[in-house]
Amino acid sequence: MRGFFIFVLWFSYVVNAFAGSSSNLLKTYKKDVFYTVKGLKANKNSLLTFGGLLGFSFFLDKGTRTYVLNHQNTTLKNTADFTNYFGSGYILFPAVTALGTWGFLNNNYKLLEASVTSFESGLTAGLLTIGIKIAVGRKRPYGTDNPFRFKPFKKDTLFHSFPSGHTVMAWSMITPYAVYYKQPLLYLIPLSVNFARVYKNKHWLSDTVMSSGIGLAVGYFFSKRHLNKKIVLLPSKNNLMVGVRF
């Protein structure tokens, strides 16, 4: 999660750069959060289904870990090492920044909007994940063979297994691009991070299931609101401002 803090610092820089328009930006962000909460409440059946899937995954944790540890090989290890980068803040944050900048410089506002939404989604999901990690205090699989070891509010990252920060970042920041461009195949990227975190014995299966739900929900609802309201970053004379395109 260290890369996440680089993300936060960059966010602070952007907000300051907005000068007089920063209040509009923060107001828009607040509405995005409320829209997401409202959207989740309106999809109770989906939440119940996800809750059942998450609960079931807890009982698969130990067996999955044992199976993975007994089926290690060079090809899968190299694959996991590679796909693990797609959940790293050191990769995602600069990549999204570069894509957004490219979109702005080339008047590709669809790419700019998707990147801004990805940025905002990653910030929100990341902050939420940090809070849950600390509050839950689940021990990582490389430190125990018991998936039900919890020590809430421990500072030691050994007890920050639930949920997976890498997986949350991948889902929350890739989902906006999948929604904006209607490309479900992009979800293979965060799924590969799910695989990497379990294969590398950094997280239990249920950690990644929870992370997928958080990241997908935040990324999806933020994207839907921005697309419905056509919220964009508009260039002004001296800076940028949040606006609504008709």
Side-chain angles (χ1 to χ4, degrees):
M1 294 299 289
R2 287 177 296 179
F4 174 70
F5 290 102
I6 295 176
F7 184 49
V8 174
L9 289 174
W10 190 73
F11 175 77
S12 300
Y13 171 80
V14 170
V15 170
N16 289 329
F18 271 73
S21 300
S22 61
S23 62
N24 291 332
L25 177 68
L26 295 175
K27 185 183 293 184
T28 298
Y29 173 72
K30 184 178 180 180
K31 290 182 178 179
D32 289 344
V33 173
F34 286 153
Y35 179 87
T36 300
V37 173
K38 184 178 180 180
L40 289 172
K41 288 182 178 179
N43 288 271
K44 292 181 179 179
N45 289 337
S46 296
L47 284 176
L48 289 173
T49 300
F50 175 73
L53 178 63
L54 176 62
F56 181 66
S57 69
F58 272 91
F59 294 98
L60 297 178
D61 280 334
K62 191 169 184 177
T64 300
R65 175 179 179 273
T66 300
Y67 180 85
V68 168
L69 291 178
N70 290 335
H71 292 80
Q72 299 278 314
N73 62 64
T74 302
T75 300
L76 289 177
K77 180 182 181 300
N78 291 337
T79 300
D81 287 341
F82 175 71
T83 59
N84 187 64
Y85 287 117
F86 294 125
S88 169
Y90 293 112
I91 300 298
L92 285 172
F93 306 147
V96 168
T97 302
L99 287 172
T101 302
W102 176 267
F104 178 73
L105 294 176
N106 291 276
N107 297 319
N108 185 341
Y109 287 104
K110 184 176 182 178
L111 180 59
L112 173 60
E113 292 166 26
S115 299
V116 170
T117 304
S118 172
F119 173 88
E120 183 185 18
S121 175
L123 174 65
T124 305
L127 286 173
L128 180 61
T129 298
I130 291 173
I132 297 174
K133 277 178 174 290
I134 296 173
V136 173
R138 190 183 199 186
K139 198 168 187 178
R140 294 181 184 272
Y142 60 76
T144 179
D145 60 357
N146 183 358
F148 297 99
R149 286 279 179 86
F150 298 90
K151 287 188 178 181
F153 303 105
K154 290 280 289 186
K155 292 183 179 180
D156 189 347
T157 57
L158 178 62
F159 293 90
H160 292 174
S161 187
F162 183 87
S164 162
H166 276 68
T167 312
V168 164
M169 284 299 176
W171 279 94
S172 63
M173 298 184 77
I174 297 299
T175 294
Y177 293 102
V179 174
Y180 269 82
Y181 289 93
K182 298 180 180 179
Q183 291 292 336
L185 285 177
L186 286 175
Y187 290 122
L188 291 176
I189 297 175
L191 276 174
S192 71
V193 178
N194 285 56
F195 160 74
R197 299 312 283 170
V198 174
Y199 190 85
K200 292 170 70 67
N201 201 33
K202 299 293 185 179
H203 288 280
W204 302 99
L205 175 65
S206 56
D207 296 338
T208 65
V209 172
M210 181 63 174
S211 305
S212 302
I214 293 173
L216 179 62
V218 174
Y220 177 81
F221 285 112
F222 274 28
S223 299
K224 284 298 182 180
R225 179 170 189 270
H226 288 189
L227 285 169
N228 291 339
K229 298 295 182 181
K230 296 183 179 179
I231 297 173
V232 296
L233 288 179
L234 302 173
S236 63
K237 184 176 181 180
N238 298 316
N239 49 37
L240 299 174
M241 63 181 292
V242 173
V244 179
R245 189 175 64 190
F246 296 94

